[in-house]
Amino acid sequence: MTALLRYQGALLLRSQRWLAPVLLYAAFLAVGFRPGDPIPDSLGYSAAALVPVTAWLVRICLSVEPDAARDCAAAAAGPVRVHAAALLTGLGWGAGAGGLGAVAVLLLGAREGPRLPAAALAGAASVLVCALTGAAVGALCARPLLRAPGYAVAAAGLGSLLALVTAGSPARVAVSGLVGGSVALPLGALAGAAALACAAGAAACLAAARRG
């Protein structure tokens, strides 16, 4: 799996298609955050932006490889492992971007209010919640489940929106807590996001195995 992760990471890096979602995330932060803003609110905003960004990155990882190359990799390592490596690569890049955004917020945000360590832990957990939720959306809105680019992009956008506004959604729970000033760890949301991502990833990998 380590070799597959390196391979998928190299594919994504060389394709330069990661630039658009990463720049979109930077634009979210530039527009929605100013130095001196309250840290919990800003952490919630930066985490929320990860849902569409991670969904986009996962979709890129699942589509960047030509079909012929994907078939060769699947024949060598198995379609499930290849698909899982692509999913994990997109999730890792999304979580990494979110981590950098959270560090920027912690360094530049207002220091008064809740204790910084508690805010940092809550922010890190919310970043992971939103990245996992975005990865679940991306897994369900890419090949082999959705192959038509137009439908897949529309579904990913709608799924990301629903993940942020639907009551009970792990991403909404985590973000709402931070925006409301809470620095409690969103453990329930984290467990829900992990279960959602695992279920979506398993469905996508199963579909890839059947196709292979």
Side-chain angles (χ1 to χ4, degrees):
M1 182 60 79
T2 301
L4 285 174
L5 289 172
R6 286 200 301 265
Y7 170 65
Q8 293 292 340
L11 280 176
L12 179 61
L13 189 63
R14 286 200 301 266
S15 74
Q16 298 186 5
R17 293 172 64 183
W18 56 271
L19 280 170
V22 169
L23 289 176
L24 174 65
Y25 184 63
F28 272 130
L29 292 182
V31 170
F33 169 70
R34 293 290 182 273
D37 284 350
I39 284 179
D41 286 1
S42 301
L43 286 173
Y45 181 85
S46 66
L50 278 181
V51 175
V53 168
T54 306
W56 192 352
L57 284 165
V58 167
R59 284 204 69 256
I60 290 172
C61 288
L62 293 175
S63 61
V64 67
E65 192 176 11
D67 287 339
R70 170 62 67 93
D71 290 341
C72 290
V80 171
R81 296 183 68 201
V82 172
H83 206 79
L87 289 171
L88 290 173
T89 300
L91 171 61
W93 276 66
L100 291 177
V103 168
V105 168
L106 291 169
L107 291 176
L108 301 175
R111 299 294 178 129
E112 67 272 9
R115 292 182 296 111
L116 189 61
L121 286 175
S126 296
V127 163
L128 188 54
V129 168
C130 290
L132 286 167
T133 304
V137 173
L140 297 175
C141 300
R143 69 177 185 183
L145 296 174
L146 278 178
R147 298 190 66 86
Y151 291 127
V153 170
L158 179 60
S160 298
L161 177 62
L162 291 175
L164 290 171
V165 302
T166 302
S169 164
R172 179 177 175 177
V173 170
V175 170
S176 297
L178 282 172
V179 172
S182 172
V183 292
L185 282 175
L187 297 179
L190 186 57
L196 184 65
C198 288
C205 288
L206 180 60
R210 288 179 174 175
R211 178 184 175 275

